[in-house]
Amino acid sequence: MEAEGGDRLAEEDPKMGRGKIEIKRIENATNRQVTYSKRRTGIMKKARELTVLCDAQVAIIMFSSTGKYHEFCSPGTESVLYLFFISCSISR
């Protein structure tokens, strides 16, 4: 069965899309580092997109297993962290 435009329906082909992975610690150190690097890049890209598309203030702070520090902040670290600390003190 074909949908409009000649595209095959997703439910007909189980190979379409990405397969699900089991979320557990990656034992191989090299594979773990490669996965961390790729996912770090992906989450930083999503943060930038969210900032641009939705005019959101986003702050991400990450530490790798080796202790390396990575961050993304918009519009700046101080204003986002200030809002975070204010919201934490109000909710207590």
Side-chain angles (χ1 to χ4, degrees):
M1 178 178 198
E2 291 192 9
E4 282 185 32
D7 295 331
R8 292 179 62 173
L9 296 176
E11 57 197 39
E12 284 185 63
D13 191 356
K15 295 180 184 177
M16 293 182 72
R18 294 181 185 248
K20 293 187 177 185
I21 62 164
E22 183 180 354
I23 302 297
K24 65 176 187 173
R25 185 176 191 272
I26 299 170
E27 296 301 324
N28 181 291
T30 303
N31 291 349
R32 187 170 53 247
Q33 180 59 38
V34 168
T35 300
Y36 174 80
S37 179
K38 287 180 179 181
R39 287 181 175 247
R40 182 191 69 230
T41 302
I43 199 166
M44 296 298 184
K45 180 181 176 184
K46 293 291 184 187
R48 280 190 300 275
E49 291 172 356
L50 190 59
T51 299
V52 172
L53 294 173
C54 302
D55 197 28
Q57 294 180 339
V58 179
I60 297 177
I61 302 170
M62 298 173 61
F63 291 93
S64 70
S65 60
T66 60
K68 288 186 180 179
Y69 166 75
H70 303 277
E71 70 169 273
F72 172 82
C73 292
S74 67
T77 307
E78 290 181 18
S79 63
V80 174
L81 291 177
Y82 178 74
L83 290 172
F84 172 73
F85 288 125
I86 287 176
S87 68
C88 286
S89 64
I90 291 172
S91 64
R92 288 185 182 188

